[in-house]
Amino acid sequence: MAHRQPILLIDSPSLYFRAYFGIPESAAKTGDGQPVNAVRGFLDMLAQLVRTRRPDRMICALDHDWRPAWRVELLPSYKAHRVAPEGGEVVPDTLSPQVPMILEVLDALGIPAVGADGYEADDVLGTLSVTQPGPVEVVSGDRDLFQLVDDAHPVRLLYVGRGVAKLDDCDDAAVRTRYGVPADRYADFAALRGDPSDGLPGVAGVGEKTAARLIDRYGGLDGILAALDDPRSGFAPGLRAKLDAARDYLAVAPKVVRVATDVPLPELDPTLPASPADPDRLLELAQRWNLAGSCRRLVDVLAGDRS
């Protein structure tokens, strides 16, 4: 089915972490003092996205497994610095209780939220980006999702690194301008460059410019590794030595960085509701958690004409 309006695929953890750190707890609490800053901020972000992007569909992706075993098996350092002493991800104590609140409000609104065991939200987004009819707009502050950009489908990344109000609307040309590589080579680029936030060491001495130059010259990691075995390939001796020393890492890192696009997901109806699926439940949640303003803003924009 062809669509004129986009589907918004929401990286929920990216947005609710951003909301949590962007709104002081003191500014958003329930009557008994429980912080709801992440919930309020998340709902306000959705309202602004619906108002400005005018989608006809939306799905919120969830982290059912923030550090999948299959990625850790390939690269033990993957997100290792974010593991709490008792196990699990380091998450602020006052954020964790807000995630179920977000899910309850989404359910009352009728906006689907989905995750998959053994996969991150990124993988859910990757799968939805290739299975949902376009146009597709992925909303995230995660750089790894630049790899999903595909002008042919089309898939764009609405990158919220500077916030939802100042999002960067990225097609393939924007990815090339930003990083010097096409979107379909971003995973190779990220593996070479590394990413401390995900525990990816990268190749020592290879930064963004060198990584982009190598990909431009050799086409990607496969071409780079093949050229290492060719004495006529033109590598500077120092760079050849650095890449050669990183062969084992480069054999697995792209698989870790690359977003899955074959996650088993249930059938979903992504159609944005014009009115809440359960208005009485939504009203009760809004009153209980002091979310009346945010819920009203989102309900109002959903009821508006998005044609």
Side-chain angles (χ1 to χ4, degrees):
M1 177 182 175
H3 287 263
R4 193 161 51 89
Q5 295 164 264
I7 181 172
L8 286 186
L9 303 180
I10 306 295
D11 184 350
S12 301
S14 178
L15 264 61
Y16 62 63
F17 267 94
R18 182 171 297 276
Y20 176 83
F21 289 108
I23 300 174
E25 289 184 8
S26 59
K29 291 188 175 183
T30 64
D32 61 3
Q34 183 177 4
V36 289
N37 52 328
V39 188
R40 186 177 295 179
F42 182 84
L43 296 176
D44 285 343
M45 288 180 190
L46 292 191
Q48 181 161 352
L49 286 163
V50 173
R51 184 170 55 251
T52 57
R53 306 308 300 185
R54 306 175 74 83
D56 62 359
R57 296 157 292 150
M58 179 186 290
I59 299 174
C60 293
L62 306 173
D63 265 339
H64 277 194
D65 192 340
W66 68 280
R67 189 173 182 251
W70 59 272
R71 283 193 167 104
V72 176
E73 185 177 350
L74 289 168
L75 190 69
S77 66
Y78 183 65
K79 295 185 178 179
H81 61 296
R82 290 157 56 182
V83 177
E86 67 279 8
E89 185 179 14
V90 176
V91 178
D93 291 340
T94 51
L95 172 57
S96 296
Q98 297 189 57
V99 178
M101 294 180 180
I102 290 171
L103 297 182
E104 283 203 57
V105 174
L106 289 175
D107 185 60
L109 284 163
I111 296 173
V114 64
D117 292 343
Y119 294 97
E120 302 176 53
D122 286 9
D123 302 310
V124 175
L125 293 164
T127 300
L128 291 170
S129 75
V130 300
T131 56
Q132 290 294 315
V136 174
E137 295 185 343
V138 179
V139 184
S140 178
D142 186 343
R143 294 185 299 176
D144 285 342
L145 295 177
F146 281 111
Q147 67 186 278
L148 299 183
V149 171
D150 179 357
D151 288 356
H153 187 47
V155 181
R156 306 173 79 93
L157 177 66
L158 306 183
Y159 184 65
V160 296
R162 298 181 299 159
V164 170
K166 298 180 180 178
L167 58 80
D168 293 316
D169 181 355
C170 298
D171 59 4
D172 191 72
V175 179
R176 290 173 185 264
T177 298
R178 183 185 286 261
Y179 294 112
V181 298
D184 63 0
R185 288 290 177 265
Y186 184 85
D188 287 358
F189 168 81
L192 285 164
R193 177 202 61 198
D195 189 343
S197 68
D198 279 343
L200 291 170
V203 177
V206 173
E208 288 195 352
K209 291 183 178 179
T210 301
R213 188 170 67 248
L214 287 169
I215 289 172
D216 181 63
R217 181 168 183 177
Y218 298 104
L221 265 182
D222 288 344
I224 292 168
L225 293 173
L228 276 179
D229 298 322
D230 182 355
R232 301 165 299 175
S233 57
F235 282 110
L239 180 57
R240 182 188 293 274
K242 291 172 182 175
L243 291 166
D244 196 51
R247 278 182 187 267
D248 290 345
Y249 162 76
L250 291 175
V252 298
K255 301 172 189 174
V256 174
V257 178
R258 199 164 291 124
V259 171
T261 56
D262 57 354
V263 176
L265 296 174
E267 288 291 325
L268 298 166
D269 180 3
T271 305
L272 268 179
S275 59
D278 190 339
D280 292 339
R281 176 68 171 157
L282 182 64
L283 178 60
E284 188 270 324
L285 294 175
Q287 292 174 338
R288 188 203 311 174
W289 293 329
N290 193 22
L291 299 169
S294 294
C295 288
R296 187 181 307 111
R297 283 188 287 274
L298 186 47
V299 168
D300 286 349
V301 77
L302 288 173
D305 181 8
R306 297 186 301 276
S307 62

